[in-house]
Amino acid sequence: MNDRSGDTRSKRDGTIDFGYQQVPVQEKARRVGQVFRSVADRYDLMNDLMSAGLHRLWKHQAINRVQPRRGHRILDLAAGTGDLTLALSKRVGPEGQVVMTDINEAMLARGRDRMIDAGRVDNVRYALCNAEALPFPDQYFDRVTIAFGLRNVTHKDTALREMYRVLKPGGWATVLEFSRVYIPPLRPVYDLYSFRVLPLMGRLVANDAESYRYLAESIRMHPPQEQLAAMMAEAGFEDCDYLNLSAGVVAIHRGFRY
Ligand SMILES: C[S@@+](CC[C@H](N)C(=O)[O-])C[C@H]1O[C@@H](n2cnc3c(N)ncnc32)[C@H](O)[C@@H]1O
């Protein structure tokens, strides 16, 4: 179960992975959309339950890698309910700005409500958009972030090129994503958890086992650490590096633009 990831490009026959299924390329965004519309209501609760709260720590580490400064303009892609946006908006201050984006209206609406509830109204802007086609000028942002979003994107290489395009020279992109457990004896335990416990939790808490099965499968299909770093380099980023967290369950990649 553990070694299916790697080839994230569309196949010659015009199909692409959606978890372990092969679907027509043009179908993937719709299927991913269904997943996130379905999980939007319980998304934050499920994140806490599934990761036993660890996702907060991972996101905190990601923010440290972003090194946001007062006055920065930051793009948060696939922002969902806005954990990163919220933390970043506090760090850039009133003279900075965070643009919170997502392809899914239900997720972005939750994120926007959350920012308003938290009083983050002056320095957060919103855009409903696909990470593969960003409606922003070249060299516009000091930083670009994407947390647990890239593996859901149909053409990851296109999204990475877009991230590079909108970055100012001197800026960098930070990608927080599930990755490859690097301690082999832990892998069967992690597989058991991912393919048995997660769908069960999904069924009990969100009445949706299928979406959480997709989650586990999409993680296994996502390129592992070195491969993602190579994809970032191919998209134009320099000095690509990554930091493993929780034995590689997740990794934080960075790529720089000079
Ligand atoms: C697992 S959630 C992550 C949300 C948030 N960043 C977090 O860390 O909690 C993945 C998000 O990616 C969004 N997404 C999926 N495909 C996308 C695409 N092509 N462009 C932009 N967002 C996308 C989904 O709508 C969903 O909100």
Side-chain angles (χ1 to χ4, degrees):
M1 273 192 255
N2 226 345
D3 281 320
R4 304 182 68 152
S5 67
D7 185 8
T8 63
R9 288 154 209 251
S10 45
K11 308 274 184 301
R12 276 176 207 277
D13 65 357
T15 65
I16 199 163
D17 58 275
F18 171 75
Y20 285 173
Q21 297 172 46
Q22 290 299 307
V23 299
V25 172
Q26 62 279 13
E27 176 73 9
K28 177 163 172 170
R30 194 185 64 77
R31 301 280 288 267
V32 169
Q34 269 175 354
V35 167
F36 287 102
R37 266 192 305 282
S38 164
V39 304
D41 279 350
R42 295 287 169 110
Y43 180 78
D44 291 323
L45 172 66
M46 280 299 286
N47 268 356
D48 277 332
L49 289 176
M50 288 183 310
S51 72
L54 271 178
H55 76 105
R56 293 166 186 263
L57 201 73
W58 298 332
K59 286 169 178 164
H60 180 75
Q61 293 275 7
I63 298 288
N64 287 343
R65 303 282 283 176
V66 175
Q67 295 178 23
R69 300 266 178 270
R70 289 185 86 77
H72 270 171
R73 186 189 287 144
I74 300 185
L75 174 64
D76 187 18
L77 290 171
T81 55
D83 282 349
L84 252 52
T85 300
L86 184 59
L88 291 167
S89 71
K90 291 177 185 164
R91 300 280 282 271
V92 300
E95 61 273 53
Q97 189 179 82
V98 183
V99 182
M100 177 181 191
T101 71
D102 202 283
I103 200 173
N104 189 303
E105 262 183 276
M107 293 294 279
L108 194 62
R110 290 203 171 260
R112 192 196 48 224
D113 291 350
R114 193 161 160 229
M115 295 310 126
I116 292 168
D117 288 348
R120 313 306 308 176
V121 285
D122 291 337
N123 66 354
V124 181
R125 297 288 175 272
Y126 307 92
L128 187 68
C129 66
N130 188 339
E132 293 177 37
L134 298 176
F136 305 108
D138 296 352
Q139 304 188 3
Y140 192 64
F141 293 99
D142 297 286
R143 303 280 188 271
V144 176
T145 59
I146 183 164
F148 303 115
L150 191 60
R151 72 173 189 285
N152 300 298
V153 170
T154 305
H155 299 106
K156 299 177 176 67
D157 46 356
T158 308
L160 289 169
R161 279 200 301 276
E162 279 291 85
M163 290 161 71
Y164 183 82
R165 180 183 67 76
V166 300
L167 257 182
K168 292 180 190 171
W172 62 87
T174 303
V175 180
L176 171 64
E177 191 48 273
F178 290 104
S179 202
R180 180 66 59 91
V181 169
Y182 59 78
I183 301 175
L186 286 184
R187 288 182 184 158
V189 182
Y190 183 50
D191 278 345
L192 190 73
Y193 179 75
S194 307
F195 291 98
R196 298 276 177 263
V197 180
L198 281 190
L200 183 66
M201 268 189 195
R203 184 156 64 77
L204 295 177
V205 178
N207 194 24
D208 181 358
E210 274 315 301
S211 295
Y212 289 89
R213 198 180 327 280
Y214 161 74
L215 171 73
E217 293 178 1
S218 67
I219 291 169
R220 297 307 186 280
M221 296 301 286
H222 189 65
Q225 288 85 337
E226 285 297 333
Q227 194 180 339
L228 180 55
M231 286 173 68
M232 292 178 77
E234 225 172 275
F237 289 104
E238 293 186 63
D239 289 343
C240 300
D241 63 10
Y242 62 85
L243 174 72
N244 280 315
L245 301 176
S246 305
V249 168
V250 303
I252 304 171
H253 283 70
R254 281 191 312 188
F256 295 77
R257 176 169 190 165
Y258 297 126

